[in-house]
Amino acid sequence: MTLPFDDTVRAWVPHGHFSLAPTGTGPLDGLGFAAKDLYDVAGRRTGAGNPAWLHTHEPAGATSPLVTQLMQAGAALHGKVITDELAYSIQGENVHYGTPRNTRAPDRVSGGSSSGSAAAVAAGLVDFALGTDTGGSTRVPASYCGLWGLRSTHGLLSAQHVVPLSPLFDTMTWLAARSDVFERVGSVLLGAPQATAWREALVLTDACAQADAAFAPLIESVAGALRTAGLPVAHQAASATDLETWRRTYITVSAHDAWRTHGEWITRAQPDFGPAIAARWQAAASTSADEAAAAAALQARLRTELRALLGEDRVAVLPSASSAAIAHTADAATVDAIRAQTFRITSIAGLAGLPQVNIPFIGGDGLPAGVSLLGPAGSDLALIRLAISIGTRLSALGT
């Protein structure tokens, strides 16, 4: 069966125009979803954003367990949507399949690498969509498109039958426009929530300093709502180590891991990549094992420090990205500068392997802008519920 709607935002890949009926009934009855073209569906090819990958890999022999869970819970699968090539970008542009349209900011990108997932949900074509997040690939498009999105605790959700980028950092994720749908998907994929009695909220000042001024009033609104909910709020840095060091550490470890994962195929298949992604793979190929080992040792220290800061009952507040969605007309230097700022923010959860939920807002400039809650490992569903309660409280106040 083909898609039951027109792809008005150019989010679907050519080989992803199919629909599969639910295989069971449950909390997702009546909902439809799309899967980022990294998720395997048995009998169909996975393209990973690049035609060479599509043509050099056989149809999948099995379906991602997450796709199976969602269909068993009553959701219909409406095909596969665009990803940046091998998920190696947060921009949301694909030289082979195009740039999905961001209906919330049509002159701007949707963000990547879960670009098609975000665009499809923002346009209302599906109720939710599966994505992935390695360095920000769900948090950034969620912020750019005004959606709920979760970077899950690393290793919590199955990555089986999903094309990896960097297994050391890859997380399985989803995006939704409605908070109730977002939570229902979480209840299916995450199971019973870990009991969390939140004790304190921390506004991460170093992360906030990386974001444009439009985020400041939104962050303070979230902090105020947390206070109203009974949580003391403190302002402090995530780390005594500067966030540029966090960014470089993430880039080094993840690049080496990505080349270790895909270097043999890239060398053999010689795929055609867009210029920015080709440059990223060249850098990954030149990252030495010694450089990666030194960065991994630093990551271990930073991870331990941040996890100790949050403990089991603190939640942190930070921007989800450094800016609103980037204009289609932005030059390469501007894109690179914004990307670096955003990675200084997103590397915090990435290096620590922690869950982070984007709460969607509209900033004073009229553009979507996300504020995130970052929580302890395994607190994903409790974090989702706290985020929704804060978002609902602020919506009632007209914020």
Side-chain angles (χ1 to χ4, degrees):
M1 176 181 172
T2 189
L3 296 175
F5 46 75
D6 292 331
D7 177 11
T8 56
V9 291
R10 305 182 300 277
W12 272 258
V13 289
H15 52 282
H17 286 245
F18 63 89
S19 286
L20 298 177
T23 55
T25 62
L28 304 184
D29 285 353
L31 299 182
F33 74 104
K36 185 176 184 176
D37 193 25
L38 301 177
Y39 286 81
D40 285 345
V41 175
R44 299 182 182 274
R45 291 182 186 269
T46 302
N50 186 279
W53 185 277
L54 182 73
H55 295 136
T56 58
H57 290 79
E58 294 299 316
T63 298
S64 154
L66 303 188
V67 172
T68 298
Q69 278 182 270
L70 296 169
M71 295 178 68
Q72 288 174 342
L77 172 62
H78 295 315
K80 294 193 179 189
V81 286
I82 293 175
T83 172
D84 293 36
E85 297 175 82
L86 287 174
Y88 213 172
S89 178
I90 56 171
Q91 180 69 358
E93 298 172 326
N94 187 305
V95 298
H96 308 288
Y97 300 118
T99 302
R101 182 170 175 262
N102 180 354
T103 54
R104 307 286 177 88
D107 60 339
R108 295 167 182 262
V109 299
S110 61
S113 62
S114 304
S115 57
S117 301
V121 172
L125 298 178
V126 289
D127 298 292
F128 66 96
L130 286 173
T132 63
D133 189 309
T134 304
S137 288
T138 286
R139 290 164 288 169
V140 172
S143 185
Y144 284 6
C145 294
L147 302 172
W148 294 91
L150 169 77
R151 175 196 166 87
S152 55
T153 298
H154 184 258
L156 184 63
L157 295 179
S158 175
Q160 283 187 304
H161 305 295
V162 180
V163 179
L165 169 58
S166 168
L168 290 175
F169 297 96
D170 293 344
T171 63
M172 307 303 109
T173 71
W174 69 95
L175 304 104
R178 285 170 36 195
S179 60
D180 63 315
V181 170
F182 185 57
E183 182 178 8
R184 284 159 66 189
V185 175
S187 70
V188 169
L189 295 181
L190 297 168
Q194 174 180 305
T196 304
W198 301 107
R199 178 169 61 88
E200 187 179 23
L202 306 173
V203 176
L204 302 183
T205 53
D206 45 358
C208 294
Q210 295 298 322
D212 290 351
F215 285 81
L218 303 176
I219 289 166
E220 284 309 309
S221 292
V222 170
L226 287 164
R227 284 192 197 95
T228 302
L231 287 182
V233 177
H235 290 68
Q236 70 176 84
S239 174
T241 302
D242 66 276
L243 293 184
E244 173 59 15
T245 297
W246 283 69
R247 184 190 73 87
R248 290 198 306 266
T249 300
Y250 166 77
I251 293 296
T252 301
V253 177
S254 64
H256 185 262
D257 189 39
W259 186 256
R260 186 170 53 191
T261 302
H262 290 304
E264 187 277 331
W265 175 78
I266 291 172
T267 302
R268 173 171 45 84
Q270 294 292 301
D272 178 25
F273 289 124
I277 291 178
R280 230 158 272 148
W281 283 114
Q282 289 169 1
S286 66
T287 302
S288 71
D290 287 345
E291 290 172 322
L298 178 54
Q299 178 196 356
R301 177 174 67 78
L302 297 174
R303 174 188 176 105
T304 298
E305 289 176 358
L306 185 65
R307 288 188 170 214
L309 176 66
L310 294 183
E312 296 182 355
D313 53 11
R314 282 194 178 106
V315 62
V317 182
L318 69 166
S320 300
S322 66
S323 72
I326 299 171
H328 290 298
T329 55
D331 58 52
T334 298
V335 171
D336 286 345
I338 294 172
R339 175 185 168 85
Q341 284 182 283
T342 292
F343 268 109
R344 293 184 195 115
I345 298 169
T346 60
S347 62
I348 296 171
L351 290 178
L354 298 179
Q356 183 176 333
V357 175
N358 179 69
I359 306 173
F361 292 99
I362 299 297
D365 55 7
L367 295 170
V371 175
S372 280
L373 298 185
L374 172 72
S379 68
D380 301 51
L381 193 50
L383 195 67
I384 286 171
R385 289 175 176 168
L386 177 62
I388 290 172
S389 72
I390 295 303
T392 301
R393 185 184 298 269
L394 292 174
S395 294
L397 295 173
T399 303

